[in-house]
Amino acid sequence: MAEEDDARIRILQSLRGKICEAKNLVPVSGSNRQRDLCTFCTVSLDQEEVFRTKVFDKSLSPFYGEDFYFEIPRPFQCLSFYNHLVSKVSIRKEDLCKYSGKEHWFSLQPVDPNSEVQGKVHLEMRLNELITENGSMCQQLLVRIIECQGLPLISGQNCDSYATVSLVGPVTRSSSYSKKSHFQVEEEDIEKLEIKVDLWNSGNLGQDVFLGEIRVSVKILRNEHFHRAWYLLQPKGNGNKSKSDDLGSLRLKLTYIEDTVLPSTCYTSLCNLLLKSPDVKPISASAAHILGDICRERYEAILPMVRLLLHNNRFVPFVSAVAALELENTQEANTIFRGNTLATRCIDDMMKIVGKNYLTVTLKSVIDEICDSNKTCEIDPIKLKEGDNVEVNKENLQGYVQKVFSSITQSSSSCPPLMCDVFRSLRQLASKRFPGDPHVQYSAVSSFVFLRFFAVAVLSPHSFQLRSHHPDPEISRTLTLISKTIQTLGSWGSLSKKLSSFKETYMCDFFKSFQEEKCIEKVKKFLDEISSNVSKESSGVADAVVLKEGEVQKRAQGKKRIGKKNFKKRWLRVTNRELSYHKHRGKEALCIIDVKNIRAVEKLDESAFNRKNMFQVVHAEKPLYVQAGNCVEASEWMEVLSQVSRCNEGRLATFHPSNYGGGAWQCCKNPSDSAPGCKPCTATMLANLQLDIDCDRETERVFSLLSSNDSKLQNMEDACASLAVYQGPQREQEEYSKFTIQEPKETFRTLKQLRNIMEELQKQHNIRSDPTAQYGSLDNPIVGKTS
């Protein structure tokens, strides 16, 4: 049983970041000057590209503004950011923590093909004593390369690699490697000799590509005449250390997270304590509120807690309680829910999770039209360009605003029921707190749905997956003007904002073109509909929701079994109903697979087609073999497809990790093409499809956040003890003002429970976490030259 528990320990990595901007870039060398001024930035795990910004023309100081987030599905050595593939910033995995959570300027370094290496080599060395024919004793050094792992893709396929082995020292002797390399060495030379292994990819027309090298001193065999270890491949000559010319710099913001997730039973106590939070009186004494209190400066701290509450249907009572607490401290109705409080942060995160499809349905088509048509909409006289007609621009902007405004105010039927439940609660709480203000019931809702949801999505559509990249500056300016207008139109019906309150004269003039009474009527009707006391009933038929789509390489399912031509580019699309592939985006489907017929979604061995990042979708017909663009994409496709089919009847217990060819399965050599699989299928976690929440991981995140803020927990505990005992005037209150302590004894009780649970969970980590892997093992390979 202990072994089974250990097998369920998961190491989960994720990276969230932003490529902000570059400055003082050096043009790409070449004759085409226009081309030289095009620039873009890519993100790579080792040498595998996993993200790319859009291309910027005629700029050597581009503002990218590109956010990215992905789960890291495999081990990696280095995270690199390439500028137009000619210069780069490389950060080793162990150094990522130095830069986590803050923006930094990084100097760009030249890209040297001989330094772009990845992968590792399993090497064996043995020193034998032999007696020659004439009876003398000699030393024989045997070198064997057992295997290599993690080599780069070459043109989308695995390497056709070979190695050369050299004995370097007083006399250099080489041997082209096949199975073994033998060298005769003198005893006195052992201290001076080293084995050098060069790895190459066999290219066309003799254009072989260097993949990396390792160097090992022979004196490592001085005490033990046998050595076997894994080594990380290194750049030629261990990299060029010479100082490079100034190639410009790149501003990045990175947050790398690595979680060691234990079996579910380890998190039961902490999870239960968090989920009891809505029932604790006062709410400020609950575990969830305490977490928000001590992590007030860390935005990402709220997200795992919100996900847990959502998954367990405890979000609405919790957020209602914290909103009520906030309203108690709000003195004026027109400042309702304005700050960055626990309540507003929780609701912001909830809307981003729950309202993703709502945004797509409501805004995507009109945002696409705005970005693709690119009409000039500038109405600020100071920012007008020569030749601009302000009246035409105003007309363009008004047309866009009307489309966005209409899309929003007519979207109530698409608003997720959970959002409606929250809005209804906020409306009731606000009316109770300010019974004499007829507008506050509307402002309580509009301050979220207009100001913090729709207006933010219009301003940054790429952050909400409405567009693939950050908009160009001119389009971004148009979206800014639309966003400002939508905020104000949304607040008209709730705050009775007058035109005189606008700071900019040109905005005041622009708003005169809108019929105020009609807009107020539409806004109030919309807010009434999404915060109605009548619960919305589901029709029972879910709309088709696009969960993921993108370009892949798909293996043809015809008669041919071999050949590169058997793989073709296709547009793959998965909804909650069907999986389909198309010749191009927007074209009719070439094939449609009902997700109810999917029986397994699994990785495919690289050896099957000599390609990385492949997976298979097993259904009623032949398996669908797909190659994703990179490891992150492959992981995302498999995750989405596994979740959408996780409850299907007839899911397989086993699968074939390779293909059927040459009259047999290549993995198990079974000649029957209908033979049951030879490997157990991956267990699929029963997460909510729309929310896709891994509760164990989220609870581990909460534990990590609490652990990293242990000193604050102790300070809060001391404050509770002091406040509970001290009966005189609260002279020490200022010292504890950073914490919300309404009921010291109840808060102290929760804190003690938290500390006890954390202590026990830390013990579980210490017991169950694997000890540091032996240096030279597969998990902890040797770095660089060793002796």
Side-chain angles (χ1 to χ4, degrees), residues 244-256:
S244 61
D245 296 331
D246 186 6
L247 299 176
S249 53
L250 193 61
R251 181 162 62 94
L252 304 170
K253 184 177 181 180
L254 305 172
T255 300
Y256 170 74

Side-chain angles (χ1 to χ4, degrees), residues 480-721:
T480 299
L481 292 171
I482 296 171
S483 179
K484 290 175 69 172
T485 311
I486 291 300
Q487 288 184 47
T488 307
L489 289 175
S491 65
W492 264 1
S494 54
L495 301 178
S496 296
K497 180 174 270 190
K498 302 301 180 184
L499 292 175
S500 59
S501 66
F502 290 108
K503 296 178 181 178
E504 306 98 334
T505 305
Y506 65 88
M507 289 299 290
C508 184
D509 292 338
F510 176 62
F511 269 93
K512 290 178 181 178
S513 62
F514 292 92
Q515 296 179 333
E516 185 172 351
E517 292 304 319
K518 284 191 175 182
C519 287
I520 290 175
E521 184 182 332
K522 288 181 179 179
V523 168
K524 285 189 173 181
K525 182 176 182 292
F526 169 67
L527 295 175
D528 281 335
E529 289 170 348
I530 64 172
S531 58
S532 168
N533 286 323
V534 181
S535 296
K536 296 169 62 177
E537 293 186 6
S538 171
S539 64
V541 180
D543 291 333
V545 179
V546 177
L547 302 174
K548 184 172 176 61
E549 58 182 339
E551 191 174 77
V552 299
Q553 293 273 350
K554 184 198 73 70
R555 183 176 183 264
Q557 293 182 290
K559 296 180 179 179
K560 293 184 178 179
R561 298 271 181 190
I562 303 172
K564 295 180 180 178
K565 291 182 180 179
N566 242 5
F567 281 86
K568 296 181 179 180
K569 286 185 180 180
R570 290 290 182 259
W571 188 262
L572 196 64
R573 188 172 186 262
V574 59
T575 73
N576 54 326
R577 294 179 180 174
E578 61 189 32
L579 169 66
S580 59
Y581 59 81
H582 315 246
K583 193 167 186 178
H584 300 291
R585 184 178 189 174
K587 298 291 185 182
E588 290 186 8
L590 298 174
C591 177
I592 297 176
I593 301 169
D594 193 319
V595 295
K596 292 180 180 178
N597 295 330
I598 295 176
R599 304 179 69 191
V601 182
E602 297 289 345
K603 286 183 179 179
L604 197 68
D605 284 351
E606 294 177 15
S607 59
F609 301 105
N610 196 30
R611 289 172 178 248
K612 287 189 176 182
N613 304 322
M614 288 202 68
F615 63 93
Q616 56 180 315
V617 181
V618 184
H619 58 108
E621 304 298 327
K622 295 178 181 178
L624 178 66
Y625 295 130
V626 180
Q627 182 185 28
N630 54 62
C631 62
V632 171
E633 281 287 315
S635 179
E636 289 176 355
W637 278 115
M638 290 176 61
E639 178 71 18
V640 168
L641 287 164
S642 295
Q643 288 296 336
V644 79
S645 62
R646 72 195 187 285
C647 296
N648 286 354
E649 293 183 9
R651 279 189 66 92
L652 297 178
T654 59
F655 75 104
H656 290 285
S658 193
N659 63 317
Y660 185 87
W665 288 101
Q666 298 304 301
C667 41
C668 58
K669 306 306 178 185
N670 193 312
S672 171
D673 61 358
S674 59
C678 55
K679 186 175 180 180
C681 285
T682 306
T684 303
M685 297 192 66
L686 292 177
N688 181 305
L689 176 62
Q690 295 300 320
L691 303 184
D692 193 21
I693 292 169
D694 181 343
C695 289
D696 293 341
R697 185 182 196 174
E698 302 305 337
T699 313
E700 172 62 28
R701 279 275 79 227
V702 170
F703 167 69
S704 297
L705 288 161
L706 290 169
S707 298
S708 63
N709 287 274
D710 187 66
S711 60
K712 289 184 180 179
L713 284 174
Q714 184 62 59
N715 291 341
M716 195 175 190
E717 198 173 305
D718 293 343
C720 289

